[in-house]
Amino acid sequence: MNCLIMRNLKLLQTLEFRDIQAPGRPQCISLRTEQSTVLIGSDHGLIEIDPVTREVKNEVSLVSEGFLPEDGSGCIVGIQDLLDQESVCMATASGDVILCNLSTCQLECVGSVASGISVMSWSPDQELVLLATGQQTLIMMTKDFEPIMEQQIHQDDFGESKFITVGWGRKETQFHGSEGRQAAFQVQMYESALPWDDHRPQVTWRGDGQFFAVSVVCPETGARKVRVWNREFALQSTSEPVAGLGPALAWKPSGSLIASTQEKPNQQDIVFFEKNGLLHGHFTLPFLKDEVKVNGLFWNADSTVLAVWLEDLQRGENCTLKTYVQLWTVGNYHWYLKQSLPFSTCGKSKLVCLMWDLVTPYRLHILCQGWHYLCYDWHWTTDRSSGDNSSDMANVAVIDGNKVLVTVFQQSVVPPPMCTYRLLLPHPVNQVMFSAHPKKSNDLAILDASNQISVYKCDDSPSVDLTVKLGAVGGNGFKVSLRTPHLEKRYKLQFENGEDQEINPLKFSLITWIQEDVFLAVSYSPSSPQSAIHHLTVAPSEADDEHRQLHISSSVTVDGVIISLCCNSKTKSVALQLAGGQILKYFWESPSLAVEPWKNPGGFPVWFPYPCTQTELAMIGGEECVLGLSDRCRFFINDTEVASNITSFAVYDEFLLLTTHSHTCQCFCLRDASFNTLHAGLSSSHVSKGESLRKVERGSRIVTVVPQDTKLILQMPRGNLEVVHHRALVLAQIRKWLDKLMFKEAFECMRKLRINLNLIHDHNPKVFLENVETFIRQIDSVNHINLFFTELKEEDVTKTMYPPPVTSAVQLSRDPDGKKVDLICDTLRVAMESINPHKYCLSILTSHVKKTTPELEIVLQKVHELQGRTPPVPDAVSAEEALKYLLLLVDVNELYDHSLGTYDFDLVLMVAEKSQKDPKEYLPFLNTLKKMETNYQRFTIDKYLKRYEKAIGHLSKCGPEYFSECLNLVKDKNLYKEALKLYPSDSQQYKDISIAYGEHLTQEHLYEPAGLVFARCGAHEKALNAFLASGSWQQALCVAAQLNLTKDQLADLGRTLAGKLVEQRKHGDAATVLEQYAKDYEEAVLLLLEGAAWEEALRLVYKYNRPDIIETNVKPSILEAQKNYMALLDSQTATFSRHKKRLLVVRELKEQAQQVNLDDEVPQGQESDLFSETSSVLSGSDMSGKYSHSNSRISARSSKNRRKAERKKHSLKEGSPLEDLALLEALNEIVQSTEKLKDEVHNILKMLFLFEFDEQGRELQKAFEDTLQLMERSLPEIWTLTHQQNSATPVLGPNSTANSIMASYQQQKTSVPVHDAELFIPPKINKRTQWKLSLLE
């Protein structure tokens, strides 16, 4: 409830039904919620009216049936519509309880009380009815009018909840302050009931029907008491004695408090009792003692509004008396009077009865004596100024009786019920409106209960206005830096018909101040569902008159009830919303004052599907749109519902801000937005939306946004205010400042709100680097510049942390090398050195330290220079301070090491003194170093600092006696390449290092590089061993030639090399080595035959003229190979056919299983965990069908296939879940291996023809051709088009839903993992490869 503090009640619509045609005087009212009709009881009977169609639906006379006397002295004390009995229950003062069926108009007397009935009260659940009788008893009955119990209304007992006194809590033992000890023994004086009290009992039920309270006048003391009873009719408690307790009684539906009234010596209070009868809080009515009496208290359905019905007491003879209906709400323990409706106490407009609607919480029904029925609908609204330039102060106005509490959020955030200043009005306020003029948005107009409009202006007027009082910002010695408004003028609203104001005090609603002396207002027709929109202007003759009057200068009638009016201050558009949801556009500036339907970009009229209590106009993507929020949290843009969980929204400048039920606040930029982007942004459930979304406290509502700032004011459910700086608003404001080169404002904001300072550069690198001097001069503070340096990083924050809401078309230039930090450091340093190098000394040092590779040596050098500087320069920093500062940026040990690396011992000592190091540690070390020779000293320092490359450089200059130390360091730290650069290539040192390097490479099994290193430095024997190990036979033979080996040694070397080459299956190379170096051509021929290099073998046979080898070796080898090929082709063909046949069977089985569509079938494969956590994981088994053949080439391929098959994850076992994939994989491999045989088959065919083995040649050619044809024919059957398509559409993916995944599984029960997709691509058979030998055909 408390979240309503910063809001006011605004009249949504008024429904009037005047001069209802009915006999007698109206006395009481009740509602039929299902039929939306109103029941009115009079001294003649009962009538039912429909307020919308304004007709009397039923009339039941109780006079004709004898229940009421004809002279009009009878009275109906209660009416209740009984939903489940489809009838109405009435009770008369004479004691009759009557049931009336309104559809048949039949009356039935269900009970009679001889002593009469003063009150009939039904429980909220309509299960129990309570009657207060003339004999001062209470009768409780069931809904079927069976008596449960009758009890005396006056009870001596306190009740079941009687308090227990333990002694120390007694009144006599307590401290009584200034009243003195005698206060403990004062006798309670009972005051009799108020003079105007009618002494009738009052009954009220708690909202859940478990308890009821009865207020009665005690016959012994004459004072009123409140007793609480439970549903079982057991007395629970009796109220403590309260002097001046009034008769009005109302139990809050939410159950916590019972409201009543109390007249005190000088004021009139509304007091609250707890269920235990103790007082708990009060508030004072804005009237003096004996000025008014309270006729009734009424809580609305959701317990947020308390209606108080007051009536003036007779004071003088000629004064006009009035009745008031006041609406009060509470927040932060403060009661606010939100609305005050004055009625006359005489004649037709005298109030008879009022009640809140049971279903619509903010609907109030009022019945007047002259048979006038009024129905008011209110809703909550935040009255805030709506300018978006810097002159707007972000004012929010809160109505509190005859005060308007204004909080100026641009200056300070004051928690309610406090405020920045109060405006005091002569009468209670009903409506506040800020000027719609964008430059005068701080001016406000106030409508009070006397229909007078007071205009307050915020300008530089020197006069002090006594009606304006400072609130929480005042105080002793406090200088007010605030422009407060002053009362400019007052207008009296002039009605066309004087009677209107008496009958309906809220004749005009939705008053809007559109320009100076011009107001728009809406009124409703009392006889038809029509509205009129009026122009209220001041007559020119009265422009300077003190008693100005606002006249209706022109009106437009609209068919339908207008429930909201919103105006866009920039475009001057006015949008009207009708109760049915239709949006109309009102052209108030045109002479014709036309009203036409508001059209969306498509040209269709806009209708809200639900009536919206808050409407605003905004430009979205260049189109003016109507935004609406219903009381059920549905949010509309034009006629599109974009979200259903929005709790509040505000339009500010180009931003739309919303709070949601998921406790987030979203901010959208409307300038480049569209319906689709907003819809997507609001409907998507992604948690991370970058800068547009932030979490807020549960139940937060937007109060206002401070213009030209980053503040968003939210109100929490308990009433307190919170200021959040929404990231989207902050970044938009920072971007504007950076575009205007307002670096100081941007920097301060970013520092305060923890925005990464890289944005200053990354927003527009080119502009920033061109304006670094401006940046430095604006920031001015050395500390702030240092802070900027320390936050720098290479990442572009506009791409990572703060991407712009809409990617700009202009791509800003970035440094291609990615050395952003170095570039900024260097640019800023140059600028600072040119402006004032002494002032910015620390920043210049920071620019060196923050580079990608910190330039610590330069920094230390600069600090060293500072130490030697005399005389001191103004603004300059001492070496002491600079070093102290450096130690904040750099670890002291690191700085010590770097100072040591400069070889400057003065600098080392300076840093060491600042560190935590013990002088006993570093002084002996430094003294030892000073005694050394320069190069060896530097070598020792570099070795200590682990700068080994530099160390060996210095050590190499120390002379040959230090070479062994150098070599050990090179070996230890693997610095061979660096060391080789330090010595000439013809020196012994170079050779020693090379040999060490080669041995190191040999240990790492890098034989060829080791051989090259050995060969380069002349260590040929080591080189030969290395090349032999690596199998580099050409290099080995080259080195062997340099070693001058004998013929026998060379032949042995050749045989060794050939053996190694055969192991590597390089038969051709091995044959070349044997023939040329070992002179063993016969062995060479055998190796070539083994490697199927037939033509090369023949070349050697004929070169050495040994035709006998043809018969003994060549021909047998060729025939053996032909047999092996034949066997392989037979095996491949048989396996291929078998697999193909099985594949077709498997596919058919799967199709059948799909048609049967077994429910218990679990889809297997990698997605099976979607369906069951416990589904088994199937492991692939090895493929069957391993072939072995005697021919070495073929065997090699088979062994390769075996290794591949062992790695396979799919099982060829029959019935395995992915058997079809395993078969496809096997078939694919067979086709590819057969395709690779073409060259080999072609070569052997040539040999078979040459040696006249035509028959075997034809046999092989035919077999190979048949195999290829079989495979070509089978490809379309195996790799069908449908299976390829199935593989192309993945089952899972980012756009899949649970339903689409299930549907995919229904279509294809096996899911195909992505990495198996290549199995569905058929292997290619190249028909252009010429393998056939035409001579054999």
Side-chain angles (χ1 to χ4, degrees):
M1 183 170 92
N2 291 342
C3 63
L4 312 172
I5 296 176
M6 295 298 285
R7 297 199 272 174
N8 297 320
L9 279 174
K10 189 173 187 178
L11 188 62
L12 199 65
Q13 61 174 326
T14 307
L15 199 58
E16 254 186 280
F17 188 1
R18 288 191 192 173
D19 304 322
I20 300 166
Q21 297 304 307
R25 284 178 295 106
Q27 292 172 335
C28 52
I29 188 171
S30 183
L31 303 175
R32 299 190 78 194
T33 48
E34 284 197 346
Q35 288 78 8
S36 300
T37 58
V38 179
L39 301 169
I40 301 174
S42 70
D43 53 12
H44 270 66
L46 177 75
I47 67 162
E48 182 184 13
I49 62 163
D50 186 336
V52 178
T53 58
R54 294 173 175 80
E55 62 182 9
V56 178
K57 297 194 75 176
N58 274 309
E59 194 170 339
V60 179
S61 172
L62 296 182
V63 173
S64 58
E65 298 288 331
F67 292 115
L68 289 174
E70 291 184 10
D71 61 358
S73 61
C75 177
I76 295 177
V77 294
I79 310 174
Q80 180 70 45
D81 176 44
L82 303 177
L83 288 170
D84 54 348
Q85 297 182 32
E86 295 183 0
S87 53
V88 176
C89 178
M90 293 174 284
T92 64
S94 57
D96 293 322
V97 180
I98 305 153
L99 269 187
C100 171
N101 188 321
L102 285 175
S103 52
T104 60
C105 289
Q106 284 181 331
L107 294 173
E108 178 193 354
C109 182
V110 291
S112 206
V113 179
S115 60
I117 297 172
S118 56
V119 177
M120 176 183 77
S121 179
W122 284 80
S123 66
D125 57 4
Q126 294 191 355
E127 290 293 321
L128 300 172
V129 60
L130 201 66
L131 301 175
T133 70
Q135 287 180 327
Q136 300 292 299
T137 61
L138 289 172
I139 301 173
M140 183 182 276
M141 295 190 286
T142 65
K143 63 180 178 182
D144 302 320
F145 304 100
E146 294 172 2
I148 296 172
M149 196 185 290
E150 182 173 2
Q151 289 207 40
Q152 286 297 319
I153 207 163
H154 303 292
Q155 300 273 335
D156 296 330
D157 187 27
F158 178 87
E160 289 179 3
S161 303
K162 186 171 184 178
F163 303 112
I164 297 166
T165 307
V166 290
W168 49 262
R170 286 182 304 176
K171 196 173 180 74
E172 292 82 11
T173 63
Q174 290 174 356
F175 175 65
H176 293 280
S178 60
E179 289 182 351
R181 192 162 183 273
Q182 65 274 15
F185 305 103
Q186 278 181 1
V187 180
Q188 178 68 46
M189 295 295 292
Y190 289 101
E191 284 191 26
S192 59
L194 297 168
W196 47 266
D197 195 331
D198 57 6
H199 288 247
R200 285 178 59 190
Q202 298 286 334
V203 180
T204 178
W205 287 83
R206 199 167 81 171
D208 59 359
Q210 295 301 310
F211 297 92
F212 63 90
V214 182
S215 172
V216 286
V217 177
C218 179
E220 293 170 14
T221 62
R224 273 209 176 252
K225 280 187 179 177
V226 178
R227 289 190 176 87
V228 177
W229 311 69
N230 69 6
R231 196 181 174 86
E232 282 71 44
F233 215 176
L235 180 64
Q236 294 298 298
S237 62
T238 305
S239 66
E240 60 179 299
V242 177
L245 191 63
L249 195 69
W251 200 321
K252 198 174 181 180
S254 62
S256 52
L257 298 171
I258 306 164
S260 186
T261 65
Q262 181 189 11
E263 200 160 280
K264 290 185 179 173
N266 54 359
Q267 66 190 47
Q268 181 100 315
D269 282 2
I270 302 292
V271 293
F272 300 103
F273 290 97
E274 295 181 16
K275 184 168 73 74
N276 58 16
L278 296 178
L279 283 170
H280 182 108
H282 71 276
F283 69 89
T284 303
L285 294 171
F287 296 98
L288 301 172
K289 178 180 165 61
D290 296 332
E291 197 176 339
V292 291
K293 65 174 181 177
V294 179
N295 285 342
L297 299 172
F298 308 88
W299 288 102
N300 74 331
D302 66 359
S303 305
T304 52
V305 184
L306 177 64
V308 183
W309 173 14
L310 303 136
E311 191 176 322
D312 280 339
L313 292 170
Q314 192 75 37
R315 287 192 299 275
E317 288 183 11
N318 299 324
C319 60
T320 55
L321 301 181
K322 288 203 167 162
T323 313
Y324 310 94
V325 176
Q326 295 188 339
L327 305 186
W328 292 81
T329 68
V330 66
N332 266 8
Y333 303 98
H334 177 82
W335 282 88
Y336 298 84
L337 172 56
K338 291 294 183 186
Q339 294 283 311
S340 184
L341 286 66
F343 291 87
S344 171
T345 55
C346 54
K348 291 181 174 181
S349 57
K350 182 182 178 183
L351 224 63
V352 171
C353 190
L354 68 121
M355 72 178 293
W356 287 102
D357 197 272
L358 303 173
V359 178
T360 310
Y362 302 108
R363 179 172 290 169
L364 185 65
H365 304 272
I366 294 177
L367 183 64
C368 298
Q369 193 163 300
W371 286 100
H372 291 320
Y373 163 80
L374 289 164
C375 174
Y376 294 111
D377 276 23
W378 277 280
H379 73 98
W380 291 107
T381 181
T382 305
D383 290 311
R384 52 182 168 236
S385 56
S386 58
D388 51 18
N389 55 2
S390 53
S391 66
D392 182 76
M393 305 293 286
N395 306 289
V396 175
V398 178
I399 295 170
D400 184 12
N402 63 345
K403 301 187 288 291
V404 174
L405 314 178
V406 182
T407 305
V408 180
F409 283 107
Q410 194 178 58
Q411 299 236 323
S412 58
V413 178
V414 182
M418 296 185 287
C419 59
T420 310
Y421 55 80
R422 296 187 298 277
L423 308 178
L424 305 178
L425 280 296
H427 302 280
V429 176
N430 282 340
Q431 197 186 334
V432 177
M433 42 268 170
F434 286 93
S435 171
H437 194 289
K439 296 278 185 290
K440 299 177 181 175
S441 58
N442 297 314
D443 301 349
L444 71 161
I446 299 163
L447 172 71
D448 61 32
S450 66
N451 282 307
Q452 193 170 250
I453 291 180
S454 307
V455 173
Y456 283 83
K457 295 225 166 175
C458 262
D459 50 30
D460 299 319
S461 168
S463 60
V464 177
D465 192 335
L466 295 175
T467 66
V468 181
K469 301 284 183 198
L470 280 177
V473 295
N476 267 344
F478 185 89
K479 186 174 180 292
V480 180
S481 62
L482 176 75
R483 284 188 317 177
T484 53
H486 63 277
L487 179 63
E488 177 90 1
K489 49 198 164 191
R490 283 204 169 106
Y491 305 111
K492 183 78 180 150
L493 279 179
Q494 192 60 38
F495 291 89
E496 293 171 329
N497 179 355
E499 190 189 279
D500 279 358
Q501 185 176 353
E502 284 191 8
I503 294 172
N504 180 7
L506 300 179
K507 175 68 181 169
F508 288 138
S509 66
L510 304 174
I511 299 178
T512 308
W513 186 12
I514 47 172
Q515 63 184 42
E516 193 71 28
D517 290 337
V518 179
F519 293 84
L520 295 182
V522 172
S523 70
Y524 304 100
S525 164
S527 55
S528 62
Q530 284 188 326
S531 313
I533 181 162
H534 309 287
H535 262 233
L536 305 176
T537 53
V538 181
S541 59
E542 298 178 4
D544 299 320
D545 189 3
E546 196 172 313
H547 304 289
R548 303 173 187 84
Q549 290 195 333
L550 280 174
H551 300 273
I552 298 174
S553 62
S554 54
S555 300
V556 180
T557 305
V558 176
D559 285 329
V561 178
I562 296 172
I563 60 169
S564 77
L565 182 154
C566 58
C567 170
N568 187 333
S569 56
K570 286 182 183 172
T571 60
K572 301 289 180 74
S573 303
V574 171
L576 311 173
Q577 182 193 184
L578 303 184
Q582 189 182 4
I583 306 295
L584 304 175
K585 194 170 199 171
Y586 176 52
F587 299 91
W588 61 274
E589 286 185 305
S590 70
S592 60
L593 296 175
V595 174
E596 63 175 43
W598 188 289
K599 294 190 175 164
N600 62 15
F604 298 102
V606 173
W607 291 74
F608 283 156
Y610 299 90
C612 289
T613 50
Q614 184 189 351
T615 53
E616 299 262 0
L617 290 173
M619 301 295 288
I620 300 180
E623 290 278 349
E624 191 168 23
C625 300
V626 187
L627 280 59
L629 179 65
S630 77
D631 54 359
R632 294 301 174 94
C633 303
R634 294 173 178 269
F635 183 62
F636 303 96
I637 298 178
N638 284 349
D639 39 14
T640 311
E641 183 177 342
V642 289
S644 59
N645 66 337
I646 305 300
T647 54
S648 66
F649 81 95
V651 176
Y652 155 67
D653 196 11
E654 61 198 30
F655 291 101
L656 169 65
L657 294 114
L658 311 106
T659 55
T660 68
H661 275 314
S662 50
H663 326 308
T664 60
C665 177
Q666 289 182 243
C667 181
F668 295 98
C669 180
L670 298 177
R671 188 182 55 227
D672 308 299
S674 65
F675 283 121
N676 296 341
T677 54
L678 285 173
H679 196 283
L682 283 164
S683 60
S684 65
S685 57
H686 300 306
V687 178
S688 166
K689 288 196 193 131
E691 65 183 60
S692 73
L693 181 139
R694 70 162 286 156
K695 293 219 174 282
V696 289
E697 192 179 322
R698 178 188 291 269
S700 302
R701 301 277 192 283
I702 294 171
V703 176
T704 190
V705 186
V706 180
Q708 304 296 313
D709 200 345
T710 60
K711 284 192 287 210
L712 168 66
I713 316 295
L714 298 172
Q715 184 152 28
M716 303 303 117
R718 60 185 174 277
N720 60 311
L721 298 178
E722 278 191 14
V723 179
V724 297
H725 296 267
H726 197 293
R727 188 52 55 93
L729 294 177
V730 172
L731 292 174
Q733 189 59 49
I734 289 168
R735 288 180 186 119
K736 284 180 189 169
W737 278 328
L738 292 175
D739 288 337
K740 294 176 186 171
L741 302 184
M742 293 164 71
F743 294 114
K744 187 175 178 61
E745 290 81 353
F747 185 89
E748 286 297 336
C749 176
M750 292 166 84
R751 194 169 70 95
K752 190 166 69 180
L753 300 178
R754 311 279 297 164
I755 303 291
N756 193 296
L757 295 174
N758 280 274
L759 186 63
I760 294 175
H761 168 268
D762 295 343
H763 175 66
N764 192 333
K766 184 170 178 286
V767 169
F768 174 76
L769 292 170
E770 285 170 1
N771 293 280
V772 285
E773 281 206 25
T774 315
F775 172 74
I776 291 163
R777 289 183 197 279
Q778 279 188 24
I779 302 294
D780 202 40
S781 159
V782 173
N783 287 342
H784 288 175
I785 293 171
N786 291 346
L787 181 67
F788 175 68
F789 275 129
T790 50
E791 278 211 15
L792 286 178
K793 51 185 175 183
E794 288 300 341
E795 114 183 47
D796 181 357
V797 295
T798 60
K799 289 192 171 67
T800 54
M801 298 166 81
Y802 314 119
V806 178
T807 49
S808 56
V810 185
Q811 193 57 43
L812 303 168
S813 59
R814 302 262 175 238
D815 187 32
D817 301 334
K819 295 289 181 198
K820 173 183 110 176
V821 176
D822 291 359
L823 183 64
I824 296 171
C825 288
D826 293 342
T827 315
L828 277 170
R829 186 172 61 253
V830 169
M832 287 186 290
E833 284 171 347
S834 68
I835 295 170
N836 186 342
H838 306 303
K839 178 184 175 182
Y840 296 114
C841 174
L842 295 182
S843 300
I844 291 167
L845 295 180
T846 313
S847 70
H848 284 293
V849 172
K850 286 307 292 180
K851 289 189 76 167
T852 320
T853 309
E855 298 171 342
L856 294 180
E857 282 87 353
I858 299 174
V859 170
L860 288 164
Q861 213 53 55
K862 289 199 170 181
V863 172
H864 197 37
E865 285 167 20
L866 286 176
Q867 200 175 26
R869 178 185 294 154
T870 49
V873 185
D875 282 345
V877 179
S878 68
E880 199 59 23
E881 286 172 40
L883 200 56
K884 211 170 179 181
Y885 171 71
L886 268 181
L887 294 175
L888 296 174
L889 296 179
V890 188
D891 177 56
V892 65
N893 294 321
E894 195 182 339
L895 203 61
Y896 174 78
D897 291 347
H898 274 280
S899 63
L900 202 56
T902 59
Y903 315 119
D904 184 337
F905 291 108
D906 294 346
L907 202 54
V908 177
L909 278 169
M910 193 170 82
V911 174
E913 283 165 8
K914 285 286 168 206
S915 74
Q916 299 294 313
K917 288 180 180 291
D918 185 355
K920 288 177 186 171
E921 284 178 24
Y922 64 80
L923 285 177
F925 175 60
L926 295 180
N927 290 334
T928 312
L929 288 174
K930 282 180 184 174
K931 291 171 190 169
M932 293 178 183
E933 184 267 328
T934 307
N935 281 321
Y936 195 74
Q937 179 197 74
R938 293 188 174 183
F939 156 73
T940 312
I941 289 172
D942 288 329
K943 190 178 173 187
Y944 170 77
L945 295 176
K946 298 182 181 174
R947 301 192 299 196
Y948 299 113
E949 282 184 42
K950 278 190 173 183
I952 58 170
H954 290 305
L955 193 56
S956 66
K957 296 172 188 168
C958 289
E961 64 270 22
Y962 290 104
F963 177 69
S964 60
E965 191 177 349
C966 182
L967 187 58
N968 289 336
L969 185 63
V970 167
K971 286 179 182 177
D972 194 25
K973 300 299 173 190
N974 196 2
L975 295 168
Y976 300 103
K977 291 179 187 172
E978 293 77 5
L980 288 172
K981 295 172 191 167
L982 299 173
Y983 294 98
S985 55
D986 55 352
S987 65
Q988 183 58 38
Q989 288 98 325
Y990 185 89
K991 187 170 182 178
D992 291 348
I993 292 168
S994 294
I995 288 169
Y997 189 20
E999 285 167 353
H1000 167 72
L1001 290 172
T1002 307
Q1003 282 172 358
E1004 298 289 320
H1005 304 293
L1006 300 169
Y1007 298 113
E1008 193 167 8
L1012 292 170
V1013 169
F1014 286 135
R1016 177 166 156 171
C1017 73
H1020 297 303
E1021 282 187 17
K1022 287 180 183 287
L1024 179 60
N1025 292 334
F1027 285 132
L1028 272 174
S1030 71
S1032 308
W1033 63 276
Q1034 290 100 329
Q1035 292 277 17
L1037 292 169
C1038 294
V1039 173
Q1042 288 171 287
L1043 283 169
N1044 300 318
L1045 296 183
T1046 62
K1047 280 189 179 181
D1048 292 344
Q1049 287 173 318
L1050 205 55
D1052 289 344
L1053 178 65
R1055 283 196 173 78
T1056 309
L1057 276 173
K1060 281 194 178 291
L1061 289 168
V1062 170
E1063 281 173 23
Q1064 293 171 10
R1065 319 214 70 74
K1066 295 180 181 174
H1067 294 88
D1069 291 345
T1072 306
V1073 172
L1074 281 177
E1075 186 218 343
Q1076 293 183 7
Y1077 291 91
K1079 307 297 182 192
D1080 188 349
Y1081 64 85
E1082 286 185 16
E1083 189 60 35
V1085 170
L1086 292 176
L1087 284 181
L1088 288 168
L1089 291 175
E1090 188 186 334
W1094 318 109
E1095 292 177 340
E1096 180 66 11
L1098 282 180
R1099 184 183 73 79
L1100 287 186
V1101 167
Y1102 287 114
K1103 177 182 174 184
Y1104 293 104
N1105 195 19
R1106 284 290 306 278
D1108 56 295
I1109 294 175
I1110 290 172
E1111 293 301 330
T1112 56
N1113 294 85
V1114 177
K1115 286 184 181 178
S1117 187
I1118 288 170
L1119 290 172
E1120 172 68 14
Q1122 188 260 357
K1123 277 183 198 165
N1124 285 339
Y1125 279 121
M1126 287 300 293
L1128 174 63
L1129 290 174
D1130 280 351
S1131 170
Q1132 296 276 64
T1133 308
T1135 310
F1136 186 85
S1137 302
R1138 189 171 73 250
H1139 284 346
K1140 174 188 156 188
K1141 189 176 173 185
R1142 177 63 190 161
L1143 179 65
L1144 298 177
V1145 171
V1146 171
R1147 282 182 180 166
E1148 194 176 335
L1149 287 172
K1150 289 212 167 187
E1151 280 171 20
Q1152 287 171 5
Q1154 256 181 17
Q1155 286 165 0
V1156 173
N1157 194 12
L1158 296 170
D1159 290 337
D1160 58 344
E1161 183 178 341
V1162 179
Q1164 299 289 358
Q1166 72 167 14
E1167 288 90 3
S1168 58
D1169 54 18
L1170 275 170
F1171 297 87
S1172 164
E1173 298 257 340
T1174 56
S1175 54
S1176 58
V1177 178
L1178 293 142
S1179 59
S1181 64
D1182 291 350
M1183 269 187 68
S1184 57
K1186 302 177 178 178
Y1187 322 114
S1188 57
H1189 307 287
S1190 55
N1191 181 285
S1192 58
R1193 298 291 312 268
I1194 297 160
S1195 306
R1197 180 170 294 99
S1198 302
S1199 66
K1200 192 173 173 186
N1201 283 349
R1202 270 200 303 281
R1203 283 199 303 278
K1204 215 170 169 187
E1206 278 154 17
R1207 287 201 305 269
K1208 289 177 71 135
K1209 61 202 170 305
H1210 303 134
S1211 172
L1212 278 170
K1213 184 180 173 183
E1214 284 195 12
S1216 67
L1218 296 177
E1219 188 186 355
D1220 54 343
L1221 291 189
L1223 290 165
L1224 273 180
E1225 194 173 21
L1227 288 163
N1228 195 330
E1229 284 180 12
I1230 294 170
V1231 173
Q1232 286 181 358
S1233 61
T1234 310
E1235 172 72 13
K1236 288 175 187 167
L1237 285 176
K1238 285 182 176 176
D1239 286 342
E1240 298 177 28
V1241 171
H1242 182 64
N1243 287 337
I1244 197 168
L1245 288 176
K1246 288 194 282 187
M1247 290 299 112
L1248 288 167
F1249 178 79
L1250 186 63
F1251 295 116
E1252 297 180 12
F1253 299 128
D1254 293 10
E1255 194 179 327
Q1256 288 92 330
R1258 284 194 196 91
E1259 187 186 9
L1260 178 58
Q1261 185 158 308
K1262 174 82 168 62
F1264 193 54
E1265 190 170 13
D1266 290 349
T1267 304
L1268 286 174
Q1269 282 176 355
L1270 169 69
M1271 289 176 182
E1272 279 177 35
R1273 280 199 311 275
S1274 303
L1275 285 187
E1277 285 180 70
I1278 298 166
W1279 285 276
T1280 57
L1281 197 62
T1282 53
H1283 285 80
Q1284 288 178 53
Q1285 284 171 345
N1286 280 356
S1287 71
T1289 54
V1291 175
L1292 302 172
N1295 301 320
S1296 302
T1297 61
N1299 292 340
S1300 73
I1301 293 170
M1302 280 305 299
S1304 303
Y1305 272 108
Q1306 293 302 333
Q1307 282 178 14
Q1308 62 184 92
K1309 287 289 179 185
T1310 58
S1311 64
V1312 181
V1314 179
H1315 46 261
D1316 290 330
E1318 65 266 16
L1319 296 179
F1320 293 93
I1321 302 164
K1324 289 187 170 53
I1325 294 180
N1326 190 353
K1327 295 179 183 178
R1328 279 182 268 182
T1329 308
Q1330 292 296 322
W1331 63 272
K1332 268 188 180 183
L1333 194 64
S1334 55
L1335 298 167
L1336 287 169
E1337 285 176 358

